[in-house]
Amino acid sequence: MLKIQPAELKVIAQYIHDISGIYLDQSKSYLFETRLSSIAEEHGCNSYQELYQKARKDAGKRIERQIIDAISTNETLFFRDNGPFELLKHKLLPEIIDLRTPSSPRLKTNIKIWSAASSTGQELYSVAMVIKDLIGNQMDQFNFKLLGTDISDSAIQQASYGKYNKFEIERGLPRQTLQKHFTLFGDSWKVKDELRAMVNFRKLNLMLPFGGLGKFDIIFCRNVAIYFTLADRKKLFNKLADSLADDGFLIIGSTESLTGICPRFVPKRHLRAIFYQKKT
Amino acid sequence: MNNLTILVVDDDPVIRRLLEQRLAKEKYKVLLAEDGYVGNETLASNHVDVVLTDLMMPGDVGGIEVLEFAKELERNIEVILITAHSSIDTAVEAMKKGASDYLEKPINFTELFLRLEKISTMRGLVRNAQDLRQAMDVTESTAAETIQNLEITAASLQSHIDSIESIANNHELDFAERVAQILKNIQSIR
């Protein structure tokens, strides 16, 4: 494996931060080597400095995309932590449906949900499954917009395709749910079309302006800010507050905290989970 | 000692015996079945890691049916099909149904052992990842509880600070009244 030189660490770490917002600890050179060495080799680079220069010059940004794919962590699973999905089912969805249902029965209820770091899609599909199970055959009275965004092209691709191998499926999906919402596809499982039709995935770097996404009723932003610096975390949650409806809900990772990061949010507890709302 | 249990399903007694001997010599635990029916029965009542099955067998239960039964029973079972050269197309179809590999007759044992070793390594890695994940889950849920309690406590302290600040700045009250209200507010925190 190509060794990274101490002098290269700072440049590469800065470059990764610039393209992705991800902050890698420079004292852990193995983080860089295990993730980037094969890309360096593929492009015939003898040093990380050389890879950096090639990536900067690459007009098609192919190398940059490869680096982002390699650096971003796609650790995710269906119904991760479970708590937020119980919360969604028993509190957030019923409340938001109440708030958004128009007085005229001829009008549909519009609800927008965003999975801000959707990785390979498991979180957003879990949300879609909760919605389907809750609403059942009254789906035609609703207009759900479920958006998943991620910085990694390959993650977005897998998410849109909705195909998962047995290891991804085994984690977190009860057999009954699996059979209801997926179809067997060779040795893998594919999300059923009716579920896939509810969601939309697109690439987004959370460090850049969100640009026209509008306001959401519920935002999931779990386990992504942990890879950012404190300053970047403050910026991110401030932007999320701008993107959340005044009576909307924010859900962050179960071991994350907004104390000292964004005073615009107040935590609220329901059962064993915490959600955030904007301060009134 | 190899930790894999292998079920051999083949109607040819010579091949069965040969596979049994060679696999046992490599310290694999071996179960035998003389056709697809017995194969499926054995699968249903034993723990099996790998099924080594002939593709073409007399009766309604051939290699494909054994494969489907095994996958239905336990998604983690690896199935390797043994096939004559003429039925490679069927074997490829079987791969799409979840078979992990196929071997052409006559069986090349070096090849077979390499594949089994790969499966064994893979299982070890999966097991290792599961252990790590479990350890992480425990750490994470303990941490989550602590952090969530702190988060709620911090928010409640913040709201006390906010109201103390507004009392302190409330010039409609005289100094003594402000001090009294602030003290009362502080006492309510405890």
Side-chain angles (χ1 to χ4, degrees):
Chain A
M1 193 157 61
L2 184 61
K3 284 269 161 212
I4 190 159
Q5 302 306 316
E8 294 174 315
L9 275 167
K10 204 176 162 192
V11 179
I12 303 294
Q14 182 62 48
Y15 172 65
I16 287 168
H17 179 263
D18 289 347
I19 59 173
S20 68
I22 295 166
Y23 169 77
L24 289 185
D25 186 346
Q26 288 175 40
S27 66
K28 292 175 180 149
S29 50
Y30 67 89
L31 280 178
F32 296 81
E33 289 163 357
T34 50
R35 290 169 179 227
L36 299 182
S37 66
S38 63
I39 302 175
E41 275 162 34
E42 185 192 326
H43 294 281
C45 303
N46 293 315
S47 70
Y48 290 93
Q49 180 73 32
E50 202 183 326
L51 177 68
Y52 164 67
Q53 267 145 9
K54 261 200 176 160
R56 292 274 313 260
K57 277 186 212 143
D58 174 18
K61 296 203 170 183
R62 197 168 80 87
I63 304 177
E64 183 182 302
R65 283 202 297 274
Q66 279 184 309
I67 292 174
I68 290 174
D69 283 351
I71 289 295
S72 51
T73 305
N74 285 330
E75 167 67 16
T76 179
L77 65 160
F78 289 102
F79 298 102
R80 178 168 182 179
D81 300 334
N82 207 37
F85 300 97
E86 291 292 310
L87 180 72
L88 185 69
K89 183 172 160 190
H90 297 293
K91 182 163 174 78
L92 308 190
L93 271 178
E95 262 184 40
I96 211 78
I97 288 172
D98 259 1
L99 288 165
R100 298 288 182 268
T101 303
S103 47
S104 160
R106 280 179 305 146
L107 295 173
K108 287 191 179 190
T109 307
N110 289 306
I111 291 171
K112 277 177 77 182
I113 301 178
W114 180 21
S115 162
S118 55
S119 185
T120 38
Q122 283 89 330
E123 180 174 83
L124 197 61
Y125 284 122
S126 301
V127 171
M129 287 185 254
V130 168
I131 292 173
K132 260 210 124 212
D133 291 348
L134 187 76
I135 308 232
N137 53 10
Q138 292 173 303
M139 282 299 275
D140 57 342
Q141 293 169 22
F142 293 87
N143 185 9
F144 277 102
K145 282 217 164 71
L146 272 57
L147 174 71
T149 59
D150 199 88
I151 194 166
S152 159
D153 285 283
S154 59
I156 288 295
Q157 220 169 36
Q158 193 193 335
S160 308
Y161 198 49
K163 198 177 98 175
Y164 300 93
N165 67 34
K166 58 178 178 179
F167 299 113
E168 293 163 324
I169 285 294
E170 263 158 30
R171 302 180 55 198
L173 260 191
R175 186 115 198 156
Q176 215 185 344
T177 315
L178 177 67
Q179 273 161 352
K180 188 166 171 195
H181 297 290
F182 291 77
T183 40
L184 192 58
F185 195 79
D187 210 11
S188 305
W189 294 81
K190 216 166 170 233
V191 176
K192 283 192 180 159
D193 287 342
E194 55 195 49
L195 212 61
R196 230 148 51 87
M198 289 172 68
V199 303
N200 223 313
F201 293 95
R202 83 161 90 138
K203 182 175 173 164
L204 177 74
N205 180 346
L206 291 172
M207 289 294 109
L208 301 176
F210 296 159
L213 292 183
K215 299 245 182 194
F216 292 89
D217 301 303
I218 302 174
I219 299 177
F220 284 78
C221 184
R222 303 196 300 152
N223 307 311
V224 61
I226 49 176
Y227 300 105
F228 299 160
T229 62
L230 184 61
D232 287 339
R233 262 182 250 174
K234 287 181 178 174
K235 274 188 230 161
L236 170 64
F237 284 105
N238 204 31
K239 284 200 290 177
L240 289 177
D242 293 337
S243 304
L244 187 68
D246 287 339
D247 52 2
F249 305 105
L250 169 73
I251 295 173
I252 65 172
S254 68
T255 56
E256 293 181 274
S257 155
L258 291 187
T259 301
I261 291 183
C262 189
R264 292 171 68 188
F265 286 112
V266 270
K268 291 179 182 173
R269 198 199 287 268
H270 181 77
L271 301 174
R272 294 174 62 87
I274 289 213
F275 60 94
Y276 293 81
Q277 284 203 286
K278 285 207 261 184
K279 223 176 219 169
T280 42
Chain B
M1 175 74 192
N2 271 306
N3 50 6
L4 296 180
T5 301
I6 299 168
L7 169 65
V8 174
V9 189
D10 202 309
D11 56 306
D12 184 337
V14 181
I15 294 185
R16 259 197 331 264
R17 203 170 317 124
L18 181 65
L19 276 167
E20 183 186 21
Q21 283 168 357
R22 297 297 300 262
L23 288 169
K25 208 172 145 203
E26 298 293 318
K27 309 284 184 229
Y28 288 104
K29 197 176 162 210
V30 189
L31 301 170
L32 298 174
E34 64 268 27
D35 60 32
Y37 295 106
V38 183
N40 286 355
E41 271 169 28
T42 315
L43 273 171
S45 49
N46 293 275
H47 167 80
V48 172
D49 296 297
V50 183
V51 180
L52 211 55
T53 178
D54 194 4
L55 186 62
M56 303 293 203
M57 285 181 291
D60 295 336
V61 186
I64 298 286
E65 286 73 23
V66 173
L67 163 70
E68 285 170 347
F69 184 78
K71 287 284 159 183
E72 179 62 30
L73 198 66
E74 166 63 77
R75 279 173 272 158
N76 276 331
I77 296 180
E78 306 287 345
V79 179
I80 299 176
L81 293 149
I82 305 166
T83 144
H85 184 69
S86 57
S87 36
I88 282 179
D89 286 349
T90 324
V92 172
E93 275 307 304
M95 299 279 291
K96 288 185 190 155
K97 288 189 174 169
S100 42
D101 230 321
Y102 67 87
L103 286 172
E104 267 184 71
K105 285 182 198 170
I107 297 166
N108 176 334
F109 281 93
T110 318
E111 208 178 321
L112 171 63
F113 293 142
L114 271 176
R115 302 212 176 153
L116 290 175
E117 237 168 77
K118 245 191 208 164
I119 290 173
S120 188
T121 311
M122 183 73 174
R123 299 227 147 183
L125 288 173
V126 169
R127 176 68 209 268
N128 200 307
Q130 281 167 345
D131 287 354
L132 281 174
R133 197 167 285 141
Q134 205 183 350
M136 196 190 77
D137 284 349
V138 173
T139 313
E140 202 175 90
S141 63
T142 319
E145 214 179 304
T146 312
I147 289 165
Q148 292 183 355
N149 287 335
L150 287 173
E151 192 79 335
I152 294 291
T153 310
S156 130
L157 287 175
Q158 184 61 50
S159 80
H160 278 289
I161 291 170
D162 292 348
S163 50
I164 288 170
E165 194 183 8
S166 78
I167 297 168
N169 286 326
N170 185 352
H171 295 288
E172 284 171 16
L173 302 173
D174 66 30
F175 184 76
E177 181 63 18
R178 274 183 264 166
V179 171
Q181 283 197 16
I182 287 171
L183 281 174
K184 203 173 145 201
N185 199 308
I186 290 173
Q187 273 158 4
S188 74
I189 297 172
R190 301 211 177 99

